[in-house]
Amino acid sequence: MPTCDLATFLKPFTADAVMNGVATLVGAFLGAMLAFLFQLVLHRKQEKKAAQMSAQRMLFCLLQQMNTLKLIQRDFVFPHVDDPGRFLSIPAVHEFDIDKDVFDFSTFGFMLETNESRMIMYELYLAQESYIEALRVLNDRSRFHREEVQPRLAASGVENGATVTHGDIKHALGPLVFPTILANTDQLVDVLKSTFGKLANSKKAFRAYVVKRFRSNDFTDFDFPETYGLLPKTE
């Protein structure tokens, strides 16, 4: 039976062979570590780019929401806002899609990092909910104007453009429809103003945060020189 002493067993393991083996292991380790670091840096760059794109989409969405409210105010509300009969003169308008131009907050993971960013995200959420409610109020009032107010005025014999008293209109509309259209109209005027203000404040706070967060001023900014009474005029 062949035997092998320790010296014979260790003979192939020369200093050069050991060093070559260690170098191979170190090289493999360094290669794997560098590959991992490269993937980590690439992943973080991709996350940053995705977060910046989400921020840009949010700013564009805020622009769309604010512009929608401004157009509603300009075209339908502002011309009649000081009219004592605005509950009639503000017209019924087409149905607005309350699901259009709204933002999906599930893509906003980077806004959960700090207490400051979470508060800004919370305010953005409330502002968007207020926007949806404003369109819902507008749609409900328009539907009520079309389906309840206009038929009663037509049935009462009141002609379009005729001079009538407050009492004539109250009598024509009845004890339920008259106070309802009054309340609906006042609610519409108020909710348009309050919502536009919330969106404007949220946009300002959000943009300031992302400029600081990403150390870049390359984020959409916008303003509305004329808001038709939605915001107080500044000197």
Side-chain angles (χ1 to χ4, degrees):
M1 183 176 180
T3 61
C4 181
D5 59 22
L6 181 60
T8 304
F9 177 76
L10 294 177
K11 187 176 181 179
F13 295 96
T14 64
D16 289 342
V18 171
M19 291 302 297
N20 288 337
V22 170
T24 300
L25 289 174
V26 171
F29 173 76
L30 288 176
M33 184 176 68
L34 289 174
F36 171 77
L37 291 175
F38 175 77
Q39 289 297 324
L40 182 62
V41 170
L42 180 62
H43 178 68
R44 287 181 176 174
K45 284 184 177 180
Q46 290 173 338
E47 280 188 333
K48 181 179 179 181
K49 184 177 180 180
Q52 289 174 313
M53 290 298 295
S54 292
Q56 294 285 20
R57 284 195 297 271
M58 169 57 81
L59 288 167
F60 184 67
C61 185
L62 289 168
L63 169 63
Q64 291 175 304
Q65 292 177 0
M66 293 176 71
N67 190 58
T68 296
L69 296 185
K70 189 201 78 169
L71 294 178
I72 292 170
Q73 177 79 358
R74 184 195 70 183
D75 295 343
F76 307 120
V77 178
F78 186 70
H80 312 283
V81 73
D82 294 323
D83 182 355
R86 67 186 187 181
F87 60 94
L88 293 181
S89 58
I90 294 176
V93 300
H94 66 275
E95 191 92 356
F96 278 79
D97 185 357
I98 63 175
D99 295 321
K100 184 181 178 182
D101 299 332
V102 294
F103 194 80
D104 179 10
F105 285 91
S106 66
T107 63
F108 256 49
F110 75 94
M111 290 297 289
L112 300 175
E113 295 173 352
T114 67
N115 185 60
E116 178 190 7
S117 61
R118 287 191 293 270
M119 288 302 299
I120 292 172
M121 186 174 179
Y122 175 68
E123 294 299 328
L124 284 168
Y125 173 78
L126 292 181
Q128 178 159 282
E129 288 298 299
S130 186
Y131 169 76
I132 294 171
E133 178 61 18
L135 293 188
R136 186 177 289 114
V137 168
L138 176 67
N139 289 340
D140 290 346
R141 181 196 176 274
S142 294
R143 195 177 306 113
F144 190 79
H145 196 292
R146 251 189 323 267
E147 297 175 1
E148 300 293 340
V149 174
Q150 293 177 18
R152 280 173 170 77
L153 286 177
S156 70
V158 176
E159 298 180 0
N160 188 29
T163 301
V164 293
T165 66
H166 198 267
D168 293 334
I169 297 174
K170 185 176 181 179
H171 177 74
L173 296 181
L176 294 178
V177 172
F178 180 73
T180 301
I181 191 61
L182 279 177
N184 288 353
T185 302
D186 291 343
Q187 183 185 17
L188 174 63
V189 172
D190 292 341
V191 77
L192 287 174
K193 288 183 179 180
S194 63
T195 299
F196 195 88
K198 290 176 184 177
L199 290 170
N201 291 335
S202 295
K203 185 273 293 186
K204 183 178 179 180
F206 175 70
R207 188 182 183 279
Y209 175 78
V210 294
V211 166
K212 180 179 70 173
R213 165 69 168 74
F214 296 107
R215 299 176 183 176
S216 170
N217 199 42
D218 188 26
F219 289 95
T220 303
D221 199 7
F222 57 89
D223 200 2
F224 294 90
E226 178 58 71
T227 63
Y228 301 92
L230 291 174
L231 290 178
K233 285 188 175 291
T234 56
E235 298 297 332

